Amino acid sequence: MSLADSDRELVVEELGREPTPAEAALFENLWSEHCAYRSSRPLLSAFESEGEEVVIGPGDDAAVVSLPGDDGTYVTIGIESHNHPSYVDPFDGAATGVGGIVRDTLSMGAYPIALADSLYFGEFDREHSKYLFEGVVEGISHYGNCIGVPTVAGSVDFHPDYEGNPLVNVACVGLTSEERLVTAEAQEPGNKLVLVGNATGRDGLGGASFASEDLSEDAETEDRPAVQVGDPYAEKLLIEANERLIEEDLIESARDLGAAGLGGASSELVAKGGLGAEIELERVHQREPNMNALEILLAESQERMCYEVAPENVERVREIAERFDLGCSVIGEVTEGNYVATFDGETVVDVDAEFLGEGAPMNDLESVDVEQPETDLPEVDLEEAFETVVASPNTASKRWVYRQYDHEVGVRTSVGPGDDAALIAVREAEQGLAISSGAAPNWTDTAPYEGARAVALENATNVAAKGATPLAAVDCLNGGNPEKPEVYGGFEGIVDGLADMCATLETPVVGGNVSLYNDSAAGPIPPTPTLALVGAKAGYDAPPLSLAPEADAELLLVGDRGLESGAFDLGGSEYLARFDGTDAFPELPAEPAALVETIAEVADDDATRATHDVSHGGLAVSLAEMVTEEAGLEATLPVSEGEVAGALFHEQPGRVLIQTAEPAAVREAFDGVAPVVSLGSATDDGALALEAEDGTELLETDAGTIDELRSTIEDELA
């Protein structure tokens, strides 16, 4: 990829001359889709990013929010994608994605406390998909476990359109305070720019521009040099060194070295402050001989931070870096002029920093709306449908994934992976922080706008089911080649849908990431709006997902519009994906904000025994997940035998199963908010028995059989 002719003309006009090779490479990378959001920025104003608890919103390395009722404790949250690198090298691509989002957290003066990863691959029965899946999970687990940050939440989805381009979206949550807070905005001319961390090599060259192109058929070999190589042990040292630098108040501003390497981080740092810099590239500590100016500027070697440091504090910063066995170079200083880089006395870059970072023109692209599919429903035996959907890799247990993650390191994890949402103890504020992360490619492939609204509601319902109220969210908006009108139309749909539902839920979207050109010879990916949402609650306890073996406690289904109306839309469901059907996407709840708020209140009630949201795989999967060897369920579906498939397999979000000792109180709480239906009560035999409203027996199975069905992934990969 090279600087487009139209872009070069703008650069020449601004500079009054031809750009140097280093300048041209900088513009190529920083004006790429990956860095400049040229196709997506015009759409992102749809998101509401302000709120009472928002301290720092979009534009920094990570967002910062305060916890409700606690002015002293701040939570940071950020998300990024490492999609193309994870196709070329699944282990290093995924591992360095973790490292990058952790350093984004460090640059805000925060300590990382939790990770969430949302992963998307081609069909599970394809050998190449399994190769990528195993490599990505290994990369995430290796890096996260080594640095001591627990991976507590996330999602895994398989869809044929990810075959040529998997997605790896990683979110990180950190803790900081007003006194510790640092931003990526340079503060004062005369301050020094200090590079701390690993030595710079040639790995990751051109990574930003690589991430702004479709993947070619030979990408796994041809694009290998653009993939970074991570060192989690150096990252752990960097985490602890950064903590000491923050504690001693030695840092004026900070930026992680990610896309476009040193050139990207240092120019963005000073541009945000309306300043410039003078950098001497030969001062950068290097691990490879004979590196030239362009390589030093653009290499994306990992585990590096760029700090702005007052001159009197430079020596102390160097001492701390050396104590943690990290390289440290004073590479230049902040100025009031241009962004200038020299190499062995020769000026190789001399440009206005703001023009470099913000001067890229936006793309004006055509779009075509995605139409809802016609209705074409399969005829399937109920037992076959139940077994197929419950055993689908998309709805089956993800134990094989999260058992490889150390999700308890740091001793904050109250509810770990495998539940609706994770719950992290923020003891500093005596609050619990719930975390949910994911998307639903079947939903947004069927109906981008409504599917994205559903993704936002689903994540909010997840945290509410653990008793938390949504606080803020970040998004990772993934799409194919935006130059294709149908792809850009789908992308517009997920942006607007996510923005609209988050606004309805009064959950500010405080940051995010855009990844386009996820396209290959196999075609574009489905529009995929990963949302990482955090919620807050008093205390660290939450109701479990599994049923309690209490016969006097009733299981209620809340929020099912299909049962209320007698009409079930199956569009976007796993049921239709498995049996080749199509249908309209289900209508969402009329009052989603009140619904989520009430779910959180009821989940925290002393009479609540268990809670579980209903979404992927429908009611059938949610009921199966609640049954254990100790607690079964006898349930009656309030439908006729002919409506059973719709009732069991439609995937309208905003539904929750609540086992309670006080069903009348739950009905009263949801009066005027959402419909409530009684399904039955728990047994102590571990069996799941379903019948229709006329008493017709529909299905009978048990916890052992369900566990066997749900072990699809671990059976295949063990």
Side-chain angles (χ1 to χ4, degrees), residues 68 126 136 225 308 324 338 375 394 452 472 524 530 585 612 615 657 661 706:
R126 298 284 298 267
V136 164
E308 178 191 6
F324 286 93
N338 275 356
T375 296
N394 283 326
T530 298
F585 193 75
H612 187 19
S615 56
L657 289 161
I706 291 170

Side-chain angles (χ1 to χ4, degrees), residues 60 183-189 253 255 265-276 308 334-337 353-354 358:
D60 223 305
T183 71
E185 182 177 322
Q187 299 297 305
E188 188 175 338
S253 66
R255 193 101 199 188
S266 57
S267 65
E268 290 168 352
L269 185 78
V270 296
K272 281 179 69 69
L275 298 167
E308 178 191 6
V334 179
T335 70
E336 294 181 322
E354 185 174 1
E358 301 292 334

Side-chain angles (χ1 to χ4, degrees), residues 428-487:
E428 295 83 348
E430 297 183 349
Q431 294 189 40
L433 191 72
I435 306 170
S436 175
S437 177
N442 284 341
W443 297 357
T444 46
D445 197 25
T446 300
Y449 175 78
E450 290 297 335
R453 290 182 69 231
V455 166
L457 180 56
E458 155 72 358
N459 280 284
T461 306
N462 282 340
V463 302
K466 299 300 107 177
T469 302
L471 178 64
V474 292
D475 57 38
C476 193
L477 303 170
N478 305 271
N481 185 334
E483 297 163 44
K484 300 176 180 178
E486 68 279 8
V487 169

Side-chain angles (χ1 to χ4, degrees), residues 251-446:
I251 304 304
E252 305 302 319
S253 66
R255 193 101 199 188
D256 153 52
L257 270 69
L262 174 61
S266 57
S267 65
E268 290 168 352
L269 185 78
V270 296
K272 281 179 69 69
L275 298 167
E278 292 181 358
I279 294 174
E280 298 176 70
L281 294 173
E282 69 274 8
R283 289 176 170 243
V284 172
H285 51 288
Q286 303 160 41
R287 72 167 184 264
E288 296 187 38
N290 303 318
M291 291 186 69
N292 61 38
L294 190 151
E295 291 170 333
I296 297 169
L297 264 178
L298 290 179
E300 295 182 10
S301 303
Q302 296 293 285
E303 294 86 38
R304 300 181 299 162
M305 297 286 290
C306 181
Y307 294 117
E308 178 191 6
V309 181
E312 64 270 20
N313 291 328
V314 167
E315 198 53 42
R316 180 56 181 155
V317 170
R318 191 191 304 277
E319 290 173 2
I320 291 173
E322 290 177 353
R323 176 183 171 185
F324 286 93
D325 201 23
L326 295 169
C328 180
S329 303
V330 180
I331 60 172
E333 67 178 40
V334 179
T335 70
E336 294 181 322
N338 275 356
Y339 177 78
V340 178
T342 62
F343 185 62
D344 290 337
E346 177 186 353
T347 299
V348 294
V349 176
D350 187 353
V351 300
D352 178 78
E354 185 174 1
F355 179 70
L356 180 60
E358 301 292 334
M362 297 297 104
N363 295 331
D364 184 13
L365 301 173
E366 294 182 18
S367 66
V368 175
D369 290 339
V370 178
E371 295 183 2
Q372 286 253 359
E374 300 283 334
T375 296
D376 181 14
L377 300 180
E379 293 185 8
V380 188
D381 173 76
L382 181 61
E383 185 174 347
E384 178 189 358
F386 178 85
E387 292 179 354
T388 300
V389 172
V390 170
S392 165
N394 283 326
T395 54
S397 170
K398 304 304 185 294
R399 283 179 305 228
W400 180 87
V401 178
Y402 61 73
R403 74 182 183 186
Q404 299 184 54
Y405 302 153
D406 187 344
H407 53 266
E408 295 184 346
V409 64
V411 295
R412 289 184 181 270
T413 308
S414 177
V415 176
D419 212 311
D420 293 334
L423 189 64
I424 299 296
V426 183
R427 299 184 185 87
E428 295 83 348
E430 297 183 349
Q431 294 189 40
L433 191 72
I435 306 170
S436 175
S437 177
N442 284 341
W443 297 357
T444 46
D445 197 25
T446 300

Side-chain angles (χ1 to χ4, degrees), residues 694-716:
D694 64 0
T696 302
E697 292 184 4
L698 300 172
L699 185 73
E700 187 165 345
T701 186
D702 58 59
T705 302
I706 291 170
D707 193 55
E708 290 177 8
L709 290 172
R710 298 191 68 239
S711 63
T712 301
I713 293 175
E714 51 196 332
D715 287 348
E716 180 66 26

Side-chain angles (χ1 to χ4, degrees), residues 635-642 644 690-698:
T636 299
L637 299 180
V639 295
S640 65
E641 191 172 358
V644 169
L690 301 179
E691 62 178 33
E693 61 183 353
D694 64 0
T696 302
E697 292 184 4
L698 300 172

Side-chain angles (χ1 to χ4, degrees), residues 37 58-60 63 77-80 473-477 509-514:
Y37 291 3
D60 223 305
I77 179 170
I79 192 168
E80 76 165 29
V474 292
D475 57 38
C476 193
L477 303 170
V509 180
V510 292
N513 177 75
V514 176

